[in-house]
């Protein structure tokens, strides 16, 4: 009898534990990955401002990291991988079984913090948006199959680099949109950053204190969804 009671108690405890764990992970799953502007927050946080600090904990490491000249990326290869500047780059490497889903953790194991990947003989670029876990909604694998017809589509030119300063030595303006690019250090620091835009001062942290967005960005404007308000 005692033994049976013990087993019942044990299973009840296990069941309660299971419910609690499940409930916790369910609630976590509902949480917003992105900080939205909330009416209740006493200090208004603009998501694009917050992102500037996202990888600043690695700033000193980036500063002291030796440059691996043999494996540097260039802006040319960076652009080559996009349909047009600002478009999601295609996935230039084969995907193993586990990554054939939408992405998420499988992709983040390399793309959250970067690092050298022996297999592809390259440094993994750090994603500026680890919270958007359905990676393959936007990033598609490169394919050799020519199912598509040739078109006359041509890429718009990317913003120029090195000519964005008002005076020699003054901070260049940011020549690109900052929507989805809030996290500056993900593209501008570390071994996977294209060498032309690899920043000499990752340790300055508050990038937008000195760098302001160019006001003549005409190639694209901030995307706002029509027929949509937060109150609906
Ligand atoms: C084993 C580590 C690893 C995994 C897992 C991985 N990647 Fe990569 N990824 C890399 C490396 C390394 C590069 C750089 C390749 C190069 O420069 O030749 C790269 C490049 C990319 C690029 C091109 C970025 C650019 O700026 O051109 C995209 C996009 C990308 N990966 C998306 C993904 C997605 C989506 C997944 C999950 C389905 C994924 N990767 C899984 C290591 C990985
Ligand atoms: C809503 C669409 C969308 C989703 C979802 C998305 N990305 Fe991106 N990603 C983009 C766009 C657009 C760019 C190009 C940014 C630019 O050049 O302005 C980009 C750029 C990148 C880059 C290039 C950064 C660099 O320095 O070269 C990597 C790596 C990357 N994404 C990985 C990922 C991974 C991993 C995931 C999933 C965790 C993911 N992305 C989810 C749209 C998306
Ligand atoms: C998705 C990757 C990515 C992110 C994130 C990003 N940048 Fe850039 N940045 C680029 C690229 C690529 C260029 C080269 C010009 C172009 O293509 O727009 C560039 C150019 C620049 C330049 C001009 C450099 C020069 O020498 O003229 C400045 C300044 C700059 N970025 C600042 C920032 C700041 C500040 C942030 C954060 C708010 C940021 N960037 C976020 C990719 C990125
Ligand atoms: C205290 C002001 C200040 C802060 C903060 C700052 N920068 Fe700069 N940045 C400059 C100046 C000044 C230059 C011009 C450098 C030169 O000509 O020597 C520059 C140049 C650049 C360039 C062109 C390439 C280079 O390194 O010369 C990029 C890209 C850039 N900054 C990105 C960033 C990013 C990303 C951050 C945040 C981590 C940042 N900056 C923070 C002042 C600043």
């Amino acid at each position: 009898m005692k033994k049976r009671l013990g087993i019942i108690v044990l299973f009840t405890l296990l069941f309660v534990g299971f419910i609690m764990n499940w409930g916790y992970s369910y609630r976590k799953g509902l949480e917003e990955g992105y900080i939205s502007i909330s009416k209740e927050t006493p200090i208004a946080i603009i998501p694009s401002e917050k992102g500037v600090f996202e990888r600043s904990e690695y700033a000193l490491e980036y500063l002291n990291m030796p440059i691996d000249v043999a494996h540097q990326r260039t802006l040319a290869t960076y652009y080559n991988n996009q349909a047009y500047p600002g478009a999601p780059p295609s996935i230039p490497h084969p995907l193993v079984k586990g990554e054939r889903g939408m992405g998420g953790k499988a992709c983040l194991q390399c793309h959250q913090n970067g690092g050298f990947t022996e297999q592809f003989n390259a440094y993994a670029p750090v994603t500026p948006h680890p919270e958007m876990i359905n990676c393959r909604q936007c990033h598609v694998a490169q394919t050799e199959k020519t199912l598509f017809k040739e078109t006359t589509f041509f890429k718009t030119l990317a913003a120029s680099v090195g000519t964005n300063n008002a005076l020699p030595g003054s901070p260049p303006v940011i020549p690109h949109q900052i929507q989805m690019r809030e996290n500056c250090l993900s593209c501008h620091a570390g071994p996977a950053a294209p060498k032309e835009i690899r920043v000499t001062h990752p340790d300055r942290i508050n990038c937008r204190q000195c760098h302001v967005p160019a006001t003549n960005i005409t190639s694209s404007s901030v995307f706002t969804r029509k027929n949509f308000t937060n109150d609906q």
Side-chain angles (χ1 to χ4, degrees):
M1 187 63 199
K2 249 192 196 155
K3 197 172 162 198
R4 192 177 294 173
L5 211 74
I7 288 174
I8 289 173
V9 168
L10 181 70
F11 273 91
T12 315
L13 282 176
L14 279 175
F15 187 68
V16 169
F18 167 76
I19 293 289
M20 277 166 64
N21 265 323
W22 182 83
Y24 178 76
S25 76
Y26 178 72
R27 279 196 310 279
K28 277 279 168 204
L30 292 181
E31 267 176 26
E32 258 244 57
Y34 208 60
I35 294 199
S36 59
I37 306 167
S38 132
K39 290 183 187 112
E40 289 95 54
T41 330
I43 308 164
I45 302 167
I46 305 173
S48 68
E49 301 284 341
K50 173 189 163 277
V52 170
F53 303 101
E54 215 132 89
R55 295 192 66 76
S56 58
E57 58 183 302
Y58 302 103
L60 283 177
E61 272 177 58
Y62 284 139
L63 184 69
N64 298 322
M65 224 174 247
I67 294 181
D68 183 352
V69 184
H71 295 101
Q72 284 194 100
R73 274 210 300 171
T74 62
L75 265 184
T77 50
Y78 175 87
Y79 293 134
N80 202 20
N81 215 8
Q82 300 179 316
Y84 53 87
S90 57
I91 309 173
H93 53 72
L95 299 173
V96 296
K97 224 171 165 193
E99 300 159 15
R100 292 199 189 126
M102 279 312 267
K105 284 216 177 81
C107 311
L108 288 179
Q109 54 181 328
C110 293
H111 288 288
Q112 180 127 36
N113 289 316
F116 192 72
T117 308
E118 205 86 37
Q119 202 182 346
F120 308 143
N121 191 28
Y123 286 94
V126 174
T127 173
H129 37 254
E131 74 285 356
M132 295 189 177
I133 51 167
N134 289 336
C135 314
R136 298 187 61 201
Q137 175 194 352
C138 304
H139 297 284
V140 293
Q142 283 175 2
T143 160
E144 310 273 292
K145 292 193 192 115
T146 49
L147 287 174
F148 297 105
K149 228 173 126 87
E150 283 287 316
T151 70
T152 53
F153 179 83
F154 62 93
K155 288 185 183 186
T156 47
L157 291 178
S160 64
V161 170
T163 55
N164 298 304
N165 328 39
L167 301 164
S170 62
V173 290
I174 310 173
H176 52 69
Q177 275 297 343
I178 51 173
Q179 190 180 27
M180 279 187 71
R181 290 187 171 205
E182 302 90 344
N183 183 354
C184 319
L185 286 181
S186 63
C187 298
H188 283 285
K195 61 179 181 190
E196 294 90 340
I197 57 162
R198 192 166 170 179
V199 65
T200 48
H201 44 268
D203 51 322
R204 289 189 195 159
I205 306 230
N206 189 359
C207 316
R208 294 182 58 199
Q209 178 193 351
C210 301
H211 296 281
V212 293
T215 49
N216 62 346
I217 296 173
T218 48
S219 54
S220 57
S221 55
V222 174
F223 173 73
T224 41
R225 191 156 26 164
K226 292 205 177 80
N227 309 326
F228 181 86
T229 65
N230 278 333
D231 305 325
Q232 269 168 3

